[in-house]
Coordinates of all heavy atoms in Angstrom, one line a residue:
N1 N 23.8 -12.1 -72.7 CA 24.4 -12.6 -74.0 C 25.0 -11.5 -74.8 O 25.0 -11.5 -76.0 CB 23.3 -13.2 -74.8 CG 22.1 -12.3 -75.1 OD1 22.1 -11.1 -74.7 ND2 21.2 -12.8 -75.9
G2 N 25.5 -10.4 -74.1 CA 26.2 -9.4 -74.8 C 25.3 -8.2 -75.2 O 25.7 -7.3 -75.9
A3 N 24.0 -8.3 -74.8 CA 23.1 -7.2 -75.1 C 22.4 -6.9 -73.8 O 22.0 -7.8 -73.0 CB 22.1 -7.5 -76.1
L4 N 22.2 -5.6 -73.5 CA 21.5 -5.2 -72.3 C 20.5 -4.1 -72.6 O 20.9 -3.0 -73.1 CB 22.5 -4.6 -71.2 CG 21.9 -4.2 -69.9 CD1 21.6 -5.4 -69.0 CD2 22.9 -3.3 -69.2
I5 N 19.2 -4.3 -72.4 CA 18.2 -3.3 -72.6 C 18.0 -2.4 -71.4 O 17.6 -2.9 -70.3 CB 16.8 -3.9 -73.0 CG1 16.9 -4.8 -74.2 CG2 15.8 -2.8 -73.2 CD1 15.7 -5.6 -74.5
F6 N 18.4 -1.1 -71.5 CA 18.4 -0.3 -70.3 C 17.4 0.8 -70.4 O 17.3 1.7 -69.5 CB 19.8 0.3 -70.0 CG 20.3 1.2 -71.1 CD1 20.2 2.6 -71.0 CD2 21.0 0.6 -72.2 CE1 20.7 3.4 -72.0 CE2 21.5 1.5 -73.2 CZ 21.4 2.8 -73.1
S7 N 16.6 0.9 -71.4 CA 15.5 1.8 -71.6 C 14.5 1.3 -72.5 O 14.8 0.7 -73.6 CB 16.1 3.2 -72.1 OG 15.1 4.2 -72.2
S8 N 13.2 1.3 -72.1 CA 12.2 0.6 -72.8 C 10.8 1.2 -72.9 O 9.8 0.6 -73.1 CB 12.0 -0.8 -72.2 OG 11.7 -0.8 -70.9
G9 N 10.7 2.6 -72.7 CA 9.4 3.3 -72.7 C 9.1 3.9 -74.1 O 9.9 3.9 -75.0
K10 N 8.0 4.6 -74.1 CA 7.6 5.3 -75.3 C 7.9 6.8 -75.2 O 7.7 7.4 -74.1 CB 6.0 5.2 -75.5 CG 5.6 3.9 -76.0 CD 4.1 3.9 -76.3 CE 3.6 2.6 -76.9 NZ 2.1 2.6 -77.2
N11 N 8.5 7.3 -76.2 CA 8.9 8.8 -76.3 C 9.7 9.2 -75.1 O 9.6 10.3 -74.6 CB 7.6 9.6 -76.4 CG 7.8 11.0 -76.9 OD1 8.9 11.3 -77.5 ND2 6.8 11.9 -76.8
L12 N 10.7 8.4 -74.7 CA 11.6 8.7 -73.7 C 12.9 7.9 -73.9 O 12.9 7.0 -74.7 CB 11.1 8.3 -72.3 CG 10.9 6.9 -71.9 CD1 12.1 6.2 -71.3 CD2 9.7 6.7 -71.0
G13 N 14.0 8.4 -73.3 CA 15.2 7.7 -73.5 C 16.1 7.9 -72.3 O 16.2 9.0 -71.7
V14 N 16.8 6.8 -71.8 CA 17.8 6.9 -70.8 C 19.2 6.9 -71.5 O 19.4 6.2 -72.4 CB 17.7 5.6 -69.9 CG1 18.9 5.6 -68.9 CG2 16.4 5.6 -69.1
F15 N 20.1 7.7 -70.9 CA 21.4 7.9 -71.4 C 22.3 7.8 -70.2 O 22.3 8.7 -69.3 CB 21.6 9.2 -72.1 CG 20.6 9.4 -73.2 CD1 19.4 10.0 -73.0 CD2 20.9 9.0 -74.5 CE1 18.5 10.2 -74.0 CE2 20.0 9.2 -75.6 CZ 18.8 9.8 -75.3
K16 N 23.1 6.7 -70.1 CA 23.9 6.6 -68.9 C 25.2 5.8 -69.2 O 25.3 5.2 -70.2 CB 23.2 5.8 -67.8 CG 22.7 4.4 -68.1 CD 21.9 3.8 -67.0 CE 21.5 2.4 -67.2 NZ 20.8 1.8 -66.0
A17 N 26.2 5.9 -68.3 CA 27.5 5.3 -68.5 C 28.3 5.4 -67.2 O 27.8 6.0 -66.2 CB 28.3 5.9 -69.6
A18 N 29.4 4.7 -67.1 CA 30.3 4.8 -66.0 C 31.2 6.0 -66.2 O 32.1 6.0 -67.0 CB 31.1 3.6 -65.8
G19 N 30.9 7.1 -65.5 CA 31.7 8.3 -65.6 C 31.1 9.5 -64.8 O 30.1 9.3 -64.1
W20 N 31.8 10.6 -64.8 CA 31.3 11.8 -64.1 C 30.1 12.4 -64.9 O 30.0 12.2 -66.1 CB 32.4 12.8 -64.0 CG 33.4 12.5 -63.0 CD1 34.7 11.9 -63.3 CD2 33.4 12.5 -61.6 NE1 35.4 11.7 -62.2 CE2 34.6 12.1 -61.1 CE3 32.4 12.9 -60.7 CZ2 34.9 12.0 -59.7 CZ3 32.7 12.9 -59.3 CH2 33.9 12.4 -58.9
P21 N 29.2 13.2 -64.2 CA 28.1 13.8 -64.9 C 28.4 14.6 -66.2 O 27.7 14.4 -67.2 CB 27.5 14.7 -63.9 CG 27.8 14.1 -62.6 CD 29.2 13.5 -62.8
E22 N 29.5 15.4 -66.1 CA 29.9 16.2 -67.3 C 30.3 15.3 -68.5 O 29.9 15.5 -69.6 CB 31.0 17.1 -67.0 CG 30.8 18.0 -65.8 CD 31.3 17.4 -64.5 OE1 31.1 16.2 -64.2 OE2 31.9 18.2 -63.7
D23 N 31.1 14.2 -68.1 CA 31.6 13.4 -69.2 C 30.5 12.6 -69.9 O 30.4 12.4 -71.1 CB 32.6 12.4 -68.6 CG 33.9 13.1 -68.2 OD1 34.2 14.2 -68.8 OD2 34.6 12.6 -67.3
V24 N 29.5 12.1 -69.0 CA 28.4 11.3 -69.6 C 27.5 12.2 -70.4 O 27.1 11.8 -71.5 CB 27.6 10.6 -68.5 CG1 26.4 9.9 -69.0 CG2 28.5 9.6 -67.7
A25 N 27.3 13.4 -69.9 CA 26.4 14.4 -70.7 C 27.1 14.7 -72.0 O 26.4 14.8 -73.1 CB 26.2 15.6 -69.9
N26 N 28.4 14.9 -72.0 CA 29.1 15.3 -73.2 C 29.2 14.1 -74.2 O 29.2 14.2 -75.4 CB 30.5 15.8 -72.9 CG 30.5 17.1 -72.2 OD1 29.5 17.9 -72.2 ND2 31.5 17.5 -71.5
F27 N 29.3 12.9 -73.6 CA 29.4 11.7 -74.4 C 28.2 11.5 -75.3 O 28.2 11.1 -76.4 CB 29.6 10.5 -73.4 CG 29.7 9.1 -74.1 CD1 30.8 8.8 -74.8 CD2 28.6 8.2 -73.9 CE1 30.8 7.5 -75.4 CE2 28.7 6.9 -74.5 CZ 29.8 6.6 -75.2
Y28 N 27.0 11.8 -74.7 CA 25.7 11.7 -75.4 C 25.2 13.0 -76.0 O 24.2 13.0 -76.7 CB 24.6 11.1 -74.5 CG 24.8 9.7 -74.1 CD1 25.2 9.3 -72.8 CD2 24.5 8.7 -75.0 CE1 25.3 8.0 -72.4 CE2 24.6 7.3 -74.6 CZ 25.0 7.0 -73.3 OH 25.2 5.7 -73.0
R29 N 25.9 14.1 -75.7 CA 25.5 15.4 -76.1 C 24.0 15.6 -75.6 O 23.1 15.9 -76.4 CB 25.6 15.7 -77.6 CG 27.0 15.9 -78.1 CD 27.1 16.4 -79.5 NE 26.5 17.7 -79.7 CZ 27.1 18.8 -79.5 NH1 28.3 18.9 -79.1 NH2 26.4 20.0 -79.7
I30 N 23.9 15.6 -74.3 CA 22.6 15.7 -73.7 C 21.9 17.0 -74.1 O 20.6 17.1 -74.2 CB 22.7 15.6 -72.2 CG1 23.0 14.1 -71.8 CG2 21.5 16.1 -71.4 CD1 21.9 13.2 -72.1
Q31 N 22.7 18.0 -74.4 CA 22.1 19.3 -74.7 C 21.3 19.3 -76.0 O 20.5 20.2 -76.3 CB 23.2 20.4 -74.8 CG 24.2 20.2 -75.9 CD 25.4 19.4 -75.4 OE1 25.3 18.6 -74.5 NE2 26.6 19.8 -76.0
D32 N 21.5 18.3 -76.8 CA 20.8 18.1 -78.1 C 19.4 17.5 -78.0 O 18.7 17.5 -79.0 CB 21.7 17.3 -79.1 CG 22.9 17.9 -79.5 OD1 23.1 19.2 -79.3 OD2 23.8 17.2 -80.1
Y33 N 19.1 17.0 -76.8 CA 17.8 16.4 -76.6 C 16.9 17.4 -75.8 O 17.4 18.2 -74.9 CB 17.9 15.2 -75.8 CG 18.6 14.0 -76.5 CD1 20.0 13.9 -76.4 CD2 17.9 13.2 -77.3 CE1 20.7 12.9 -77.0 CE2 18.6 12.1 -78.0 CZ 19.9 12.0 -77.8 OH 20.6 11.0 -78.5
K34 N 15.6 17.4 -76.2 CA 14.7 18.3 -75.5 C 13.5 17.5 -75.0 O 12.8 16.8 -75.7 CB 14.1 19.4 -76.5 CG 15.2 20.4 -77.0 CD 14.6 21.4 -77.9 CE 15.7 22.4 -78.3 NZ 15.1 23.5 -79.2

């Protein structure tokens, strides 16, 4: 219905998309997460 839950745990997060690893990492600024 136009919504997709792709991550559902505690104190964690999934970050993904259709793209190359560098582009997806830069899209979410993966370096800002620890």
Side-chain angles (χ1 to χ4, degrees):
N1 61 356
L4 183 79
I5 301 175
F6 62 97
S7 184
S8 55
K10 287 184 175 182
N11 201 14
L12 67 89
V14 173
F15 304 89
K16 63 182 183 177
W20 291 101
E22 306 93 318
D23 291 333
V24 174
N26 294 339
F27 179 70
Y28 289 106
R29 287 189 62 86
I30 287 298
Q31 65 268 30
D32 292 346
Y33 294 91
K34 293 183 178 181

